[in-house]
Amino acid sequence: MAASDARTPRERYRAQVREEVRKHAWEQIATAGASALSLNAIAKQMGLSGPALYRYFASRDELITELVTDAYRSLADTFRARAAAGTDLAGLVDTLRRWALDDPQRYFLVYGTPVPGYHAPQETTRISGEIMAVILDACAAEEPADESPGAPPSPLDAHLAEHRAWAGQHPAPPSALRLALAFWTRLHGVLSLELAGHFTGMGLDPAELYAAEARSLTGR
Amino acid sequence: MAASDARTPRERYRAQVREEVRKHAWEQIATAGASALSLNAIAKQMGLSGPALYRYFASRDELITELVTDAYRSLADTFRARAAAGTDLAGLVDTLRRWALDDPQRYFLVYGTPVPGYHAPQETTRISGEIMAVILDACAAEEPADESPGAPPSPLDAHLAEHRAWAGQHPAPPSALRLALAFWTRLHGVLSLELAGHFTGMGLDPAELYAAEARSLTGR
DNA sequence: CCCTGACGGTTATAACTTCTAACTGAAGCG
DNA sequence: CGCTTCAGTTAGAAGTTATAACCGTCAGGG
């Protein structure tokens, strides 16, 4: 669907090959992780010989960077599609877990261990903002059931009232900002440990843990 | 301190070299991540030539495995040392963050992106149990301030009452088990995102977020 | 219609990596 | 004192990323 609207045939072919390279790269990553991604192996799978891929990607890093932004875009699109069907927070909770379990290595490409030297491209921070905007929409729509109306603002609320640049122009009260951050950090906490296999052998169901954190967010 | 109590001089020398290899490996990991760890580079730094290190480590994987269990042991020791000075949960909260910030790549070696094929050795699950035992001690000592006494057990409590094998023989009520799991998943959620740099550029203080989650655990 | 230049793909090669094999020399131990 | 074990060496195989040089083909302008 994408990469087919190009003027010249050459550009069209080029986009098509790049697409196929990405496809094989995702297959490799899904089975062996991003660190095991091999340009040579991809070239062989495509019937090409080694250096041919360098016509399409300047380096292995550039390919991985492309995959990272692909992953970001995938999450943002999935979130937006779910939000279009109703802006309830619980829907996003389920959507996030399904997206993560659908391809764990894709999740790790976004939220996993970073390489110390690596700097993410500007694109990812932009998409990250889009993702956060969807979460904020759902959090703002949620009634603040997790505190009494007259309660004093927590220290975090005070801090968030000061530093809310990350929320962009979103008109959300501090309680919604706090809920959005809790959504992000708590679900990531359970999800990343589950995907990394830290619950296997403990004999408990990660879905149960995830559901419990979901209840802590949506006011049980 | 360690690796010096060996009978024969050969064993002593061997343990000493292995120790030095680990030292250089940790330096490399701290600056470039575990994926960039190079046996050749370590050998050169030690004035040795490539294959010499294979007398001490059967493979690169074995060295990394050693480092992973080192990291687990480091966290368990740090936790136990803190617990010996008072079994309050807040102390463990601070200890965890300091340990993580002290060497982020060491944290990722334990809780970061796993390699799909890799299977952690039995040792790590044992140490993981020790770590959880320290957390459980602190959680059991904490009064359950996060719920009213007569409240019905949550779905998670019911699940934990059934599947509490991971807690070993620890005599902790389901509420303590729940608190321990929340300690683990919530603090890891904030911490891993902070270490991965997902908060940089957002203009908010990760310590503030971490403190907020800490308050949610210790009953503010 | 033809010609030229851009571009995809090739092989060769450099500089890495992990890891094995074979050899050497020295240290430990009976 | 001698034997044996073991540390360390070089050589080399099989990978990897990446560059350089070359070749053929396709696309588009004159």
Side-chain angles (χ1 to χ4, degrees), chain B residues 135-164:
Chain B
I135 298 176
L136 275 172
D137 281 340
C139 288
E142 206 84 357
E143 55 247 43
D146 57 337
E147 64 182 321
S148 43
S154 69
L156 180 60
D157 281 333
H159 184 258
L160 291 181
E162 289 280 333
H163 307 85
R164 51 173 297 154

Side-chain angles (χ1 to χ4, degrees), chain B residues 40-93:
Chain B
N40 256 337
I42 293 176
K44 276 186 183 173
Q45 282 179 4
M46 292 177 63
L48 295 180
S49 222
L53 293 194
Y54 286 83
R55 296 279 170 193
Y56 302 94
F57 295 92
S59 68
R60 182 175 177 273
D61 261 22
E62 189 187 290
L63 172 57
I64 291 184
T65 297
E66 197 105 343
L67 298 175
V68 168
T69 66
D70 278 357
Y72 268 94
R73 251 190 292 265
S74 167
L75 178 56
D77 292 348
T78 306
F79 261 13
R80 263 200 303 257
R82 182 59 186 79
T87 63
D88 60 318
L89 198 55
L92 289 186
V93 170

Side-chain angles (χ1 to χ4, degrees), chain A residues 83-118:
Chain A
T87 63
D88 61 317
L89 197 55
L92 289 185
V93 169
D94 285 347
T95 300
L96 177 61
R97 184 154 190 268
R98 260 200 304 268
W99 182 83
L101 292 179
D102 188 52
D103 189 343
Q105 290 298 321
R106 182 181 56 184
Y107 184 92
F108 284 124
L109 225 49
V110 173
Y111 293 118
T113 307
V115 176
Y118 182 75

Side-chain angles (χ1 to χ4, degrees), chain A residues 18-43:
Chain A
R18 279 178 67 101
E19 183 81 15
E20 193 179 345
V21 171
R22 281 211 298 268
K23 194 192 70 184
H24 285 106
W26 276 117
E27 290 172 4
Q28 275 198 16
I29 284 183
T31 62
S35 64
L37 188 141
S38 161
L39 287 189
N40 256 337
I42 293 176

Side-chain angles (χ1 to χ4, degrees), chain A residues 15 17 29 40 45 68 75 89 98 116 128 143 166 175 182 201 213:
Chain A
V17 173
I29 284 183
N40 256 337
Q45 283 181 3
V68 168
L75 178 56
L89 197 55
R98 260 200 304 268
S128 197
E143 56 248 43
W166 56 275
S175 69
E213 285 300 64

Side-chain angles (χ1 to χ4, degrees), chain A residues 10 13-14 49 51-52 55-56:
Chain A
R10 277 216 160 127
Y13 179 75
R14 188 177 175 77
S49 224
R55 296 281 171 191
Y56 302 93

